[in-house]
Amino acid sequence: MSSRDNLGLLLSLASAEGVARATQALRPLDLSVRSYTLLERVIDTGGMSQRALADDLRLDPSQIVALVDGLETRGLAERRPNPADRRQKAVAATARGKQTYRRAKVLVDASLDEVLGDLDPSERATLHEMLTRIVRRDPAAAEAAG
Amino acid sequence: MSSRDNLGLLLSLASAEGVARATQALRPLDLSVRSYTLLERVIDTGGMSQRALADDLRLDPSQIVALVDGLETRGLAERRPNPADRRQKAVAATARGKQTYRRAKVLVDASLDEVLGDLDPSERATLHEMLTRIVRRDPAAAEAAG
DNA sequence: TATTGTTATACTCTATAACTATA
DNA sequence: TATAGTTATAGAGTATAACAATA
């Protein structure tokens, strides 16, 4: 196996390509890829605790704080108290946040099409399924790996 | 499409998982994933200019300088003059660098097996082929995308 | 003029630890 | 005791610009 066949490297390069293009696509809306992803997640779920966001996005809770701060300052998301557990704060998108997300999604999807341009729908489904299996591992295994 | 189906996010998470595990696997040898990748590349090619390395690894030339400096300080790689073009320096692995690489490869391959554990050889080949198509795009297209 | 390697700088991302308020 | 959110800090990684030597 030569270095050109390094699957880990290929994965890393493909990811970097996707992030770079999405970053560029989101520039007109002044949104980072991670803010966009967080916004998408809270819109789809109707609101999540910051801890749940950290778990889903595989980020440290302290990074979620910074991302939510940024979105809240711009009026795109807000923290709502959770009466059931006053330690938690439910992060939810504002109406303006949802509108911004819809516009952003069009741009991001187009940038992803550029990256995946050579893959037909069936291949994309296969890729999606395989990546899901890679990512959705037993959390205990990831824990053990540190 | 829900955020759980975000293919760009999945790609990013899978890559991060692979890099994290490889980083951990390489810790005993005090090698970064990028140093390992560079070492692999110069061993497989028998020596490359820093510019060629930057192109292959999708890194800025100034980052190659830092990586080669680190490997050279530790006696794992060296810069050799290129008589044909005195601007260039051919980066090559030393005997010790090759030995370190062989030990590192065992560890990295094992860590990759953990990440790809659910994929059989045929599926890995499919993944490899698709990622190759994503990464090996027309350089002009990547250029245009910034 | 253009390219290779280099230095410098700033910015983002990531990892870690410690603190507070709640449970 | 443990968990959710927060703050602070240091280290990687990344992007950009400028420069000297060479083509």
Side-chain angles (χ1 to χ4, degrees):
Chain A
M1 181 194 283
S2 100
S3 55
R4 287 217 177 272
D5 298 316
N6 184 327
L7 196 43
L9 176 59
L10 280 175
L11 203 47
S12 175
L13 292 179
S15 166
E17 172 91 6
V19 172
R21 296 218 187 208
T23 298
Q24 176 121 349
L26 287 170
R27 194 159 298 172
L29 294 176
D30 197 24
L31 266 184
S32 70
V33 173
R34 298 166 70 154
S35 295
Y36 167 79
T37 305
L38 192 153
L39 203 50
E40 177 174 69
R41 200 84 193 85
V42 300
I43 288 173
D44 282 349
T45 60
M48 297 178 75
S49 77
Q50 297 187 188
R51 159 63 62 175
L53 281 167
D55 289 343
D56 273 20
L57 272 40
R58 305 281 208 278
L59 294 175
D60 190 88
S62 63
Q63 296 177 48
I64 302 294
V65 171
L67 289 172
V68 174
D69 281 352
L71 290 172
E72 197 165 40
T73 298
R74 299 172 56 194
L76 302 179
E78 59 188 12
R79 290 172 166 97
R80 297 175 182 161
N82 178 353
D85 185 338
R86 275 156 49 209
R87 289 175 305 182
Q88 293 189 5
K89 299 173 185 176
V91 180
T94 62
R96 184 151 158 251
K98 290 176 187 172
Q99 183 186 20
T100 297
Y101 168 72
R102 280 191 296 271
R103 284 195 288 160
K105 180 162 171 46
V106 175
L107 303 177
V108 168
D109 284 352
S111 78
L112 195 59
D113 276 343
E114 289 174 20
V115 175
L116 304 178
D118 289 337
L119 306 184
D120 64 37
S122 152
E123 288 175 319
R124 293 193 194 194
T126 300
L127 178 60
H128 183 281
E129 193 275 331
M130 290 194 293
L131 291 176
T132 299
R133 267 194 284 160
I134 291 174
V135 171
R136 304 274 160 73
R137 301 291 301 286
D138 176 9
E143 191 80 13
Chain B
M1 182 193 283
S2 100
S3 56
R4 287 219 177 268
D5 297 317
N6 183 328
L7 196 43
L9 176 59
L10 280 176
L11 203 48
S12 175
L13 293 179
S15 167
E17 173 92 6
V19 171
R21 297 219 185 209
T23 299
Q24 176 122 347
L26 286 170
R27 196 161 294 172
L29 295 176
D30 196 25
L31 266 184
S32 69
V33 173
R34 298 166 70 152
S35 294
Y36 166 80
T37 305
L38 192 153
L39 203 50
E40 178 173 68
R41 200 84 192 85
V42 300
I43 288 174
D44 282 349
T45 59
M48 296 178 76
S49 76
Q50 298 186 187
R51 159 63 61 176
L53 281 167
D55 289 342
D56 273 20
L57 272 40
R58 307 281 207 278
L59 294 175
D60 191 88
S62 63
Q63 297 177 47
I64 302 294
V65 171
L67 289 172
V68 175
D69 281 352
L71 290 171
E72 198 165 40
T73 298
R74 298 173 56 193
L76 302 179
E78 59 188 13
R79 290 173 166 96
R80 297 173 183 162
N82 179 353
D85 185 338
R86 277 156 50 210
R87 288 174 306 181
Q88 293 189 6
K89 298 174 186 174
V91 180
T94 63
R96 182 150 161 255
K98 289 176 188 172
Q99 185 185 20
T100 297
Y101 168 72
R102 279 191 297 271
R103 284 196 288 159
K105 179 163 171 48
V106 176
L107 303 177
V108 169
D109 284 352
S111 79
L112 196 58
D113 277 342
E114 291 173 19
V115 175
L116 304 178
D118 290 337
L119 305 184
D120 65 38
S122 152
E123 289 174 320
R124 292 192 196 195
T126 300
L127 178 60
H128 182 283
E129 192 274 330
M130 288 194 295
L131 290 176
T132 299
R133 266 194 283 160
I134 291 174
V135 172
R136 304 274 158 73
R137 301 293 301 287
D138 176 10
E143 189 81 15

